Amino acid sequence: HLAAIVFYPITVLLTRVRVRGLANIPATGPVVLVLNHISHLDPIYDGVLVHRAARIPRFMAKNTLWNVPVVRNLLDGVEQIPVFRQTADAQKALEAAHEALEGDKVVIIYPDGTVTRDPDGWPMQPKPGVARLALEHDVPIVPAARWGTRDVYDHYAKRFRPFPRKTVHINVGEPLDLADYRGKPVDNQLLREVSELAMGRVRDLLAEARGQRAPEDD
């Protein structure tokens, strides 16, 4: 409730939010929501998006956020998932995500792994975590894309421009069809194919939100 009280006004004060496809987020049951990542403001908008669908989001977030006392209590209170990157504890994040899905939760994942470094804001090469979740759980994998938050706060340029109010577009797609991939031996090739499929759909949705054509893959 505290997160909702804080986050809703932020999105209203900073921007106008336009959402398409909200009904594609299932009303019940486990869900993996796959999104692009263009600004540190993204989790605020994505959390509100899931809350508007009458669900509570579980983010896979950097473990360093738990070093801040008040933030740590908030994150633990809403059952967020710490990600320990490049450490012996890295597997713990996936284990926690698996548990959340088994508990019928909505898990939000950014396959980029961080705010995209692409100068034009397009997604980077996806990490395999989303594919592992998709293949180990027969649950809806819902792609979505958001555009406009970087106009408010650009992390790499160290630029915060709240005025004039910007417009944030969020497009939520239909769940991915992974029938052709299920039941196959899970190896690096399969993980790469599924990860790229998910990120490819996110890229398409982002192109629609931006009103531009997505760049061709290398």
Side-chain angles (χ1 to χ4, degrees), residues 181-208:
Y181 300 94
R182 299 198 183 280
K184 293 184 177 181
V186 178
D187 55 19
N188 289 337
Q189 176 64 26
L190 186 65
L191 291 174
R192 182 165 56 252
E193 289 180 9
V194 173
S195 296
E196 291 177 352
L197 172 69
M199 191 58 102
R201 183 59 184 132
V202 170
R203 187 182 294 109
D204 291 342
L205 290 166
L206 178 57
E208 294 174 10

Side-chain angles (χ1 to χ4, degrees), residues 12-47:
V12 172
L13 289 172
L14 292 180
T15 59
R16 295 173 292 272
V17 181
R18 304 289 184 261
V19 179
R20 292 177 53 192
L22 184 63
N24 287 324
I25 300 177
T28 59
V31 182
V32 176
L33 186 62
V34 186
L35 292 122
N36 64 318
H37 200 4
I38 55 175
S39 170
H40 286 309
L41 294 178
D42 294 344
I44 295 176
Y45 287 82
D46 301 339

Side-chain angles (χ1 to χ4, degrees), residues 33 55-56 69 90 94 96 101 111 113 118 136 175 206:
L33 186 62
R55 305 296 303 271
I56 297 177
L94 280 178
L101 291 174
D118 181 87
E136 294 182 24
L206 178 57

Side-chain angles (χ1 to χ4, degrees), residues 33-111:
L33 186 62
V34 186
L35 292 122
N36 64 318
H37 200 4
I38 55 175
S39 170
H40 286 309
L41 294 178
D42 294 344
I44 295 176
Y45 287 82
D46 301 339
V48 169
L49 173 75
V50 173
H51 196 265
R52 287 179 61 184
R55 305 296 303 271
I56 297 177
R58 267 71 182 184
F59 287 91
M60 298 181 71
K62 289 183 180 180
N63 67 296
T64 51
L65 292 175
W66 272 256
N67 296 334
V68 184
V70 175
V71 174
R72 178 176 63 240
N73 294 337
L74 178 60
L75 293 171
D76 286 339
V78 290
E79 301 177 5
Q80 303 311 297
I81 302 169
V83 177
F84 300 84
R85 294 176 180 167
Q86 299 177 342
T87 72
D89 293 326
Q91 186 63 25
K92 289 184 178 180
L94 280 178
E95 293 173 357
H98 289 314
E99 292 177 3
L101 291 174
E102 290 169 358
D104 291 344
K105 307 300 173 63
V106 177
V107 173
I108 294 177
I109 185 169
Y110 302 118

Side-chain angles (χ1 to χ4, degrees), residues 125-142:
Q125 186 70 24
K127 300 294 190 294
V130 61
R132 292 188 182 280
L133 290 177
L135 294 171
E136 294 182 24
H137 297 270
D138 190 7
V139 304
I141 310 298
V142 178

